[in-house]
Amino acid sequence: MTDTPQEKISGLKRPRQARSIKRRQHLSNVVVQLVQEKGFDAVSVNEVAKRASMSVGGLYRHIETKSDLLEMVCDEINLDLLEEIQEVSAKQSGIEAKLEAAIRVYWERHWDVAPAIIIAYREYQSLSEEAKERYKNQEKIIATFFGDIIRAGVLIDVFQPVDEKLLAYEIVLLAHMRALKGHVMKDMDKTEVLKEHLKLIFARLLRVQD
């Protein structure tokens, strides 16, 4: 039975699907390589199967249409990310530490999957309308999580008053910078870039001590 795009996100923890996670990750990497080389329109299902060292029939166990290949790439970006952010944030004491921990998880994931993010931006119009809506909603949910922490910090007078929605999406955009401005950041140290971004965010939030 073929997995639908929705099942790729919502059903990954079922035993049968869990066994195919590594194969889908491998397929996603193959699609990223081919799209970087040729563009999505020029990539064929046969090429993906050949590059992935599998049969076309085997590939169609994971997809229904060619567009599902692109969704497979995009699905890897936010897979289980909200849960990871919530978990690491909950373990911290203090609102500042909670926000920083959440930002770190989100930022590091997007640094690591920058090639997939580039493709998601470049090939956005090739996605189905359902997929576009799904990815926008995933981003909105995560941005809302950041915004809720920021608003809580303002309410307890740890953070300065800010537009929490705007700042939350600025956090999202900073995490996308390696994908959007890779030619500038390719030689920069990951740790130093994250440190600089955290300084920018908290400079806007933290009250100046007298």
Side-chain angles (χ1 to χ4, degrees):
M1 184 174 67
T2 304
D3 297 335
T4 66
Q6 292 90 339
E7 286 174 326
K8 293 170 191 173
I9 291 296
S10 63
L12 279 175
K13 294 184 179 178
R14 293 185 300 188
R16 181 182 64 80
Q17 291 181 322
R19 290 194 297 270
S20 68
I21 290 176
K22 287 186 178 180
R23 175 53 61 90
R24 279 198 299 272
Q25 289 173 335
H26 173 61
L27 284 172
S28 176
N29 291 337
V30 167
V31 174
V32 167
Q33 292 168 5
L34 285 170
V35 173
Q36 286 177 322
E37 293 169 12
K38 308 175 67 170
F40 182 70
D41 288 343
V43 173
S44 71
V45 172
N46 286 356
E47 285 179 295
V48 174
K50 182 177 180 181
R51 182 75 66 91
S53 301
M54 63 191 303
S55 68
V56 174
L59 177 56
Y60 273 108
R61 292 178 60 192
H62 298 276
I63 65 171
E64 293 180 352
T65 67
K66 178 185 169 182
S67 64
D68 288 345
L69 292 170
L70 187 55
E71 291 184 31
M72 186 181 294
V73 171
C74 295
D75 286 342
E76 290 296 321
I77 297 172
N78 289 326
L79 185 62
D80 294 331
L81 184 54
L82 178 61
E83 291 80 1
E84 290 180 29
I85 290 171
Q86 291 172 328
E87 182 178 354
V88 73
S89 181
K91 291 178 180 178
Q92 307 302 314
S93 298
I95 204 73
E96 182 182 348
K98 288 180 180 295
L99 180 59
E100 180 175 335
I103 292 171
R104 283 182 178 276
V105 171
Y106 184 82
W107 191 96
E108 289 178 356
R109 167 73 71 87
H110 284 72
W111 178 279
D112 293 338
V113 300
I117 297 171
I118 293 171
I119 289 172
Y121 275 111
R122 192 173 72 189
E123 306 293 345
Y124 184 76
Q125 294 306 319
S126 297
L127 291 167
S128 68
E129 292 304 314
E130 184 277 331
K132 291 176 184 176
E133 191 63 28
R134 185 167 76 249
Y135 301 135
K136 285 191 291 187
N137 189 54
Q138 289 172 1
E139 185 175 275
K140 180 180 178 181
I141 290 171
I142 291 175
T144 299
F145 182 78
F146 289 138
D148 287 346
I149 298 176
I150 293 168
R151 185 170 60 256
V154 172
L155 288 173
I156 62 175
D157 211 31
V158 173
F159 296 153
Q160 301 181 72
V162 295
D163 183 329
E164 69 269 10
K165 181 178 180 180
L166 178 58
L167 185 54
Y169 275 98
E170 288 174 349
I171 291 169
V172 168
L173 187 58
L174 285 173
H176 291 192
M177 276 190 67
R178 189 184 183 205
L180 297 174
K181 295 297 179 184
H183 63 288
V184 174
M185 304 179 73
K186 63 181 180 179
D187 297 322
M188 293 185 180
D189 180 76
K190 174 181 177 179
T191 301
E192 292 303 315
V193 174
L194 175 55
K195 187 185 300 183
E196 178 64 21
H197 285 176
L198 288 170
K199 285 180 181 178
L200 285 171
I201 295 163
F202 284 101
R204 179 66 184 90
L205 282 171
L206 294 177
R207 291 184 176 280
V208 178
Q209 298 297 319
D210 294 331

